[in-house]
Amino acid sequence: KNYFMPDDNITRGEFLLYLNTILKADTSGTSPLPFADANSIPGWQSPTVCAMYRAGIINGNVEKQKLYFNHDEKISRLDCAIILNNMLNINSNNSQTDFYDSYLIPKYASNAVKNVSEYGLMKGYDDGSFRPYIKITRGMLADILCNVKDYTESKSK
């Protein structure tokens, strides 16, 4: 039996796999990853992580002066927005978001949140919040991936 389980959270590694079903980044060929935890990334995720790193879509997180990917960490809306913004490859300085909880969004990520909301990849909540630290569920991911697919298809026309 297969179940969707829309309320289950997804990991950073899973997010990239799902995102790549739309982006279709070239996963052939390998190159060493600069992440201190590269050896812990499962073999079935490694080609996608490598392709996304080569494309500049992921950069990793600095922890204790080392760069980590943290493939099994549950991904937040904030991290998702940053990755999607890297995918958009937009160099804008929209810094301020219109979300009432924008004070929770770190300065380094405010452009990303603004861009992904303006391009329709991620939406805020009905109460006007973004809730950057909420973990992405499978249900949320389905909505985001539909938005990414619509965006990429409209851009290719």
Side-chain angles (χ1 to χ4, degrees), residues 79-152:
D79 287 342
C80 182
I82 292 168
I83 290 170
L84 292 174
N85 187 65
N86 292 343
M87 176 205 74
L88 289 171
N89 197 21
I90 298 171
N91 294 320
S92 65
N93 284 324
N94 293 326
S95 66
Q96 190 59 35
T97 66
D98 295 330
F99 298 108
Y100 87 76
D101 60 349
S102 61
Y103 64 93
L104 294 173
I105 300 168
K107 196 169 197 85
Y108 70 85
S110 59
N111 282 340
V113 172
K114 180 85 169 178
N115 290 336
V116 298
S117 63
E118 283 184 356
Y119 281 80
L121 302 182
M122 291 180 75
K123 299 175 181 101
Y125 288 85
D126 290 340
D127 65 358
S129 65
F130 185 75
R131 303 180 194 172
Y133 298 103
I134 297 284
K135 301 300 182 193
I136 296 285
T137 65
R138 290 176 181 269
M140 291 174 182
L141 176 68
D143 185 49
I144 291 167
L145 291 178
C146 285
N147 296 337
V148 170
K149 187 172 188 323
D150 289 346
Y151 171 80
T152 56

